Amino acid sequence: IDAGATDVTIDVDGGEVITTVEHLKKAIEGLHNFNIIIESSGLEWIAKDHITLYEEALEKVNNLIDALEENDDVRAVFTNLN
């Protein structure tokens, strides 16, 4: 947290540190200072507000997400769905 993390999750497989873009480098350096091995780091969009869709609308959105994920030109798909 002192290295700029806003959230830390730890489980048996490892952990995840969430930080802002401005604090990413500081957080990576802080983890290295504690000899923590970082498998990967990068930027990812995280929604501030989440929405809930029901049945028909959810099915349509899931179909769209599936189609986008299958497209070779799409790197990643992010949503704010619960």
Side-chain angles (χ1 to χ4, degrees):
I1 299 289
D2 291 338
T6 57
D7 192 22
V8 177
T9 306
I10 299 172
D11 61 27
V12 295
D13 295 323
E16 179 178 66
V17 176
I18 297 176
T19 187
T20 62
V21 172
E22 298 82 18
H23 292 107
L24 180 59
K25 184 177 179 183
K26 182 179 178 183
I28 291 170
E29 290 170 353
L31 292 169
H32 281 140
N33 290 339
F34 285 100
N35 296 318
I36 296 173
I37 299 168
I38 300 172
E39 288 184 13
S40 67
S41 65
L43 302 177
E44 189 173 306
W45 291 103
I46 299 176
K48 290 181 183 178
D49 299 314
H50 293 86
I51 62 169
T52 300
L53 297 178
Y54 298 97
E55 297 175 29
E56 187 178 333
L58 181 60
E59 183 178 342
K60 289 179 181 179
V61 170
N62 282 334
N63 289 338
L64 173 61
I65 291 169
D66 290 342
L68 289 170
E69 288 176 338
E70 290 175 10
N71 187 318
D72 292 336
D73 294 329
V74 176
R75 285 189 184 179
V77 178
F78 301 93
T79 74
N80 64 337
L81 293 174
N82 282 329

